[in-house]
Amino acid sequence: MNKAALNPNLEQLKVDFLYHFGLSSADDLRGMFGDTKHVAMMGSADRAYTFAQKLHDQLGDPIQYFGKMPELQFGKLGKVMEHIWNLLSVNLGYPVPIGKTERYSMYKVGDTISVSHGMGQPSHSILLHEVTKMLHYAGATDFKYYRLGTSGGVGVEPGTVVVADKGLAPSGRAEYVIDVLGEPVTLETDFDPDLAQYILGVRGNIEAVLGSTMSADDFYTVQARLDGAFCMITPEEKQNYLQKLHGLGTRNIEMEAAAFGAFCKKMGIPAACMCVALLNRLEGDQVTSTPEQLGAFSDNPQQLLIQYIASTRQGQKVA
Amino acid sequence: MNKAALNPNLEQLKVDFLYHFGLSSADDLRGMFGDTKHVAMMGSADRAYTFAQKLHDQLGDPIQYFGKMPELQFGKLGKVMEHIWNLLSVNLGYPVPIGKTERYSMYKVGDTISVSHGMGQPSHSILLHEVTKMLHYAGATDFKYYRLGTSGGVGVEPGTVVVADKGLAPSGRAEYVIDVLGEPVTLETDFDPDLAQYILGVRGNIEAVLGSTMSADDFYTVQARLDGAFCMITPEEKQNYLQKLHGLGTRNIEMEAAAFGAFCKKMGIPAACMCVALLNRLEGDQVTSTPEQLGAFSDNPQQLLIQYIASTRQGQKVA
């Protein structure tokens, strides 16, 4: 992270409440997150849990749990039982979330955070602000951010992971526009090119390509699907639009990459975005694969990141 | 709903996969949702569960569960146990979600759906498309949509519910802009004025005001908070911006109202947006209330909607 990019106002806060995590700078963030080197972010809590478990199973990294035994009083019996249950879970190899789980679910396994970001750029942006402040208070250094997601492919087959060179707005421009004081401000959205190439180099059997990722603030209309509750376009307009995006280098469409790239570029955090195509949008709109196929597809970006993390460690083998 | 607004392409779909619900038009949507009159949407799964329970406890509406006993085979023992557990829960008064819970959590109690929409306009828009298609396939009629949320107040005290007359963009204009084929299209964002007045009329002891709700695609920068990971504005610029919004009639800032209003207006669905202020942004940025206070605050919009639903039924009393 580029420390100069960090908000200087943070120094004046006595305590910073990381509201959406249920944590604050008064917690022992240094003890919990000071050693963090990798932050893997993905849409759903289920996937964040699965990825945490894979880190443990395949890399042997320890599942971390920072809960403390509450004082033994009658009114706290529920909390005591929860603590014992969590200790048991962690020791049996089942990850336990840190902080509250109402908005995001966060796990720590070895030097890696696995956390959900919900759907869409706004939801992801809250997570990015809070996890970055958290790692700053924790004194963590040299960490990288990754987004592991699902997407609609544009001219790639289902199952292919698109490692993004940059995020695109629906216009096809490589930008993310935010409103500052009600006026649009344009941010750059390119990802770390060396990191993307390195990741592609360790892909092994996983089908993966470099391409641009278009981010939409909607699943239906903005992604030019014809099957929303309302529809404002014709099939011909849709096809022309997707072909235009393809011509600009777009290989998939999802809902987070541009904001993610913009945040990381602004903060000087090396970042990679790896989203698997669940379908080829040039051929249809509906996600019709079986749950088993979808499970196998969404496994691909996770597996790719595990192979990358292993490759950065001397002598590390993926089990 | 205005049937003419509905996407005519839906008629040509053999089966419509409501991907983010884990349901499809091949399910018995008519049996499950045909009688729906109210759809209450809120950010988190926890709140959707709580609201479902309140509907049952305070209005006596039956918790509905549509699971079927799986075939008795060894490989399905887990599913059988889950089904028995769900039946037990529902009979003891604990709501059980319908469909998958990876993205949204949906409950049905009497003629009301209680469902989570995640954070931000993109996440909420997916829910709006899919729940509207679902109710169309279910043959439901004369239903209304509500958003129950939390927000930063602008010149109102914490605990006050703002019933929105319209959603505003960060510019202060009453509009929601979506990209169609990569070009911006502006949608109107006003809510049903009669419904808003009716709801205010049944507020009883709950502090509630009519006002405009500004929707931001971010919690930090776009809402002019000074405590994000980065900060692009001065305290003076922030104060001037919030005062400008206040002068335009803004009484709170959150992340969904404008898109919600735009969708409902476009589809001709009567809708109301009721968000409680957790703090007064003219006085600060951080949410510093205790968990108990926050719980009491976020109870207010739920209670207001329960009072409204009761008032629409002859002889209904709130317990």
Side-chain angles (χ1 to χ4, degrees):
Chain A
M1 179 162 64
N2 174 11
K3 288 275 175 190
L6 206 71
N7 179 0
N9 299 333
L10 300 182
E11 279 177 40
Q12 290 148 39
L13 292 173
K14 268 186 200 157
V15 179
D16 189 354
F17 293 94
L18 305 167
Y19 172 63
H20 300 84
F21 285 156
L23 297 171
S24 86
S25 58
D27 293 312
D28 178 21
L29 299 180
R30 200 169 280 271
M32 295 192 272
F33 302 108
D35 63 347
T36 303
K37 296 297 173 199
H38 308 284
V39 183
M41 314 180 195
M42 51 218 98
S44 77
D46 291 13
R47 284 193 206 146
Y49 176 88
T50 305
F51 186 66
Q53 196 150 45
K54 281 186 198 167
L55 285 166
H56 176 66
D57 292 347
Q58 297 190 28
L59 297 180
D61 286 7
I63 295 169
Q64 297 185 21
Y65 171 62
F66 305 102
K68 288 197 179 57
M69 174 64 99
E71 243 180 292
L72 274 171
Q73 318 171 184
F74 188 71
K76 290 188 176 166
L77 262 188
K79 291 272 170 212
V80 169
M81 280 177 58
E82 189 186 340
H83 176 68
I84 293 171
W85 178 256
N86 285 345
L87 275 183
L88 192 69
S89 298
V90 167
N91 278 294
L92 291 172
Y94 299 104
V96 168
I98 302 166
K100 71 177 182 183
T101 55
E102 194 183 345
R103 301 303 193 167
Y104 304 113
S105 289
M106 179 159 57
Y107 301 91
K108 178 109 188 295
V109 183
D111 60 4
T112 303
I113 290 172
S114 176
V115 61
S116 61
H117 58 58
M119 287 188 287
Q121 308 191 94
S123 181
H124 196 179
S125 87
I126 300 173
L127 176 78
L128 287 164
H129 276 281
E130 295 192 7
V131 82
T132 305
K133 292 200 289 178
M134 187 180 87
L135 292 178
H136 163 62
Y137 298 129
T141 55
D142 301 322
F143 47 81
K144 294 184 175 72
Y145 285 0
Y146 318 92
R147 162 163 152 70
L148 309 176
T150 55
S151 61
V154 181
V156 300
E157 287 311 298
T160 308
V161 179
V162 178
V163 180
D165 58 357
K166 50 187 185 280
L168 303 182
S171 63
R173 289 188 289 274
E175 63 182 28
Y176 182 59
V177 179
I178 58 170
D179 290 297
V180 182
L181 304 170
E183 298 291 334
V185 170
T186 300
L187 303 176
E188 296 178 351
T189 56
D190 36 319
F191 290 97
D192 187 316
D194 298 335
L195 181 57
Q197 283 302 341
Y198 191 114
I199 289 171
L200 282 166
V202 300
R203 68 181 181 274
N205 296 329
I206 298 169
E207 196 63 47
V209 298
L210 189 73
S212 297
T213 298
M214 192 277 258
S215 302
D217 279 340
D218 172 35
F219 187 76
Y220 289 96
T221 315
V222 184
Q223 298 195 26
R225 278 188 162 84
L226 301 172
D227 60 350
F230 62 80
C231 181
M232 301 166 80
I233 60 172
T234 67
E236 293 69 35
E237 287 171 329
K238 166 196 155 179
Q239 210 61 27
N240 291 341
Y241 176 58
L242 293 179
Q243 290 291 356
K244 177 192 143 188
L245 288 176
H246 187 261
L248 292 168
T250 309
R251 290 297 170 269
N252 62 342
I253 300 177
E254 42 78 274
M255 296 179 62
E256 290 86 7
F260 175 53
F263 182 94
C264 295
K265 173 121 193 188
K266 188 158 180 61
M267 296 304 297
I269 299 169
C273 183
M274 308 170 231
C275 293
V276 68
L278 297 185
L279 72 165
N280 181 356
R281 286 295 314 289
L282 295 181
E283 289 166 10
D285 290 346
Q286 290 241 320
V287 179
T288 54
S289 301
T290 65
E292 291 69 33
Q293 287 173 313
L294 293 175
F297 293 161
S298 82
D299 195 57
N300 283 350
Q302 297 194 353
Q303 209 54 45
L304 186 53
L305 183 55
I306 284 180
Q307 288 171 200
Y308 167 73
I309 291 174
S311 78
T312 64
R313 298 174 179 168
Q314 219 164 5
Q316 172 85 58
K317 289 262 181 297
V318 180
Chain B
M1 178 162 65
N2 174 11
K3 288 273 176 192
L6 206 71
N7 179 1
N9 299 332
L10 299 183
E11 282 178 38
Q12 290 147 38
L13 291 174
K14 269 189 200 154
V15 179
D16 190 353
F17 293 95
L18 305 167
Y19 173 64
H20 301 84
F21 285 157
L23 297 171
S24 87
S25 57
D27 293 312
D28 178 23
L29 299 179
R30 200 168 280 271
M32 295 192 271
F33 302 107
D35 63 346
T36 304
K37 295 297 174 200
H38 307 283
V39 182
M41 313 179 196
M42 51 220 98
S44 76
D46 291 14
R47 283 193 205 145
Y49 176 88
T50 305
F51 186 67
Q53 196 149 46
K54 280 185 196 168
L55 285 166
H56 176 66
D57 292 347
Q58 297 191 27
L59 297 180
D61 286 7
I63 296 170
Q64 297 185 22
Y65 171 62
F66 306 101
K68 289 197 176 61
M69 174 64 99
E71 242 180 292
L72 273 170
Q73 325 171 178
F74 188 73
K76 291 187 174 166
L77 261 187
K79 292 273 168 210
V80 170
M81 281 178 62
E82 188 186 341
H83 176 69
I84 294 171
W85 178 254
N86 285 345
L87 276 183
L88 192 69
S89 298
V90 167
N91 279 293
L92 290 172
Y94 299 101
V96 168
I98 301 166
K100 72 176 183 182
T101 56
E102 194 183 345
R103 302 303 193 167
Y104 305 113
S105 289
M106 178 159 59
Y107 301 91
K108 178 109 189 296
V109 183
D111 60 4
T112 303
I113 291 172
S114 176
V115 61
S116 61
H117 59 58
M119 287 189 286
Q121 307 192 96
S123 182
H124 195 178
S125 86
I126 300 174
L127 176 78
L128 288 164
H129 276 281
E130 296 193 6
V131 83
T132 305
K133 293 200 288 178
M134 187 180 85
L135 292 179
H136 163 61
Y137 298 129
T141 56
D142 300 322
F143 46 83
K144 294 184 175 74
Y145 285 179
Y146 318 92
R147 163 164 150 70
L148 310 175
T150 55
S151 61
V154 180
V156 300
E157 287 312 298
T160 307
V161 178
V162 179
V163 181
D165 58 356
K166 52 186 185 279
L168 303 182
S171 64
R173 289 187 290 272
E175 64 182 28
Y176 182 59
V177 179
I178 58 171
D179 291 296
V180 183
L181 303 171
E183 298 292 333
V185 170
T186 300
L187 303 176
E188 297 178 351
T189 57
D190 36 320
F191 290 97
D192 187 316
D194 297 334
L195 181 58
Q197 283 303 339
Y198 190 114
I199 289 170
L200 283 166
V202 299
R203 69 181 180 275
N205 296 328
I206 298 169
E207 196 63 49
V209 298
L210 189 73
S212 297
T213 299
M214 191 277 258
S215 302
D217 279 339
D218 171 35
F219 187 77
Y220 290 96
T221 314
V222 184
Q223 298 195 26
R225 279 189 160 84
L226 300 173
D227 59 350
F230 62 81
C231 181
M232 299 166 82
I233 60 172
T234 66
E236 292 70 34
E237 288 172 328
K238 166 197 154 178
Q239 210 63 27
N240 291 341
Y241 176 59
L242 293 179
Q243 290 291 356
K244 177 194 142 188
L245 288 176
H246 187 262
L248 292 169
T250 308
R251 289 298 170 270
N252 61 342
I253 300 176
E254 42 76 274
M255 297 178 62
E256 290 87 6
F260 175 52
F263 183 94
C264 295
K265 172 122 193 187
K266 188 159 180 61
M267 296 303 298
I269 299 169
C273 184
M274 308 171 231
C275 293
V276 68
L278 297 183
L279 71 165
N280 181 355
R281 286 295 316 287
L282 296 180
E283 289 167 9
D285 290 345
Q286 290 241 318
V287 178
T288 54
S289 301
T290 64
E292 290 70 31
Q293 287 173 313
L294 293 176
F297 293 160
S298 81
D299 195 56
N300 283 349
Q302 297 195 353
Q303 208 54 46
L304 186 53
L305 183 56
I306 284 180
Q307 288 171 200
Y308 166 72
I309 291 174
S311 78
T312 64
R313 298 175 180 169
Q314 219 164 7
Q316 172 84 57
K317 291 261 180 297
V318 179

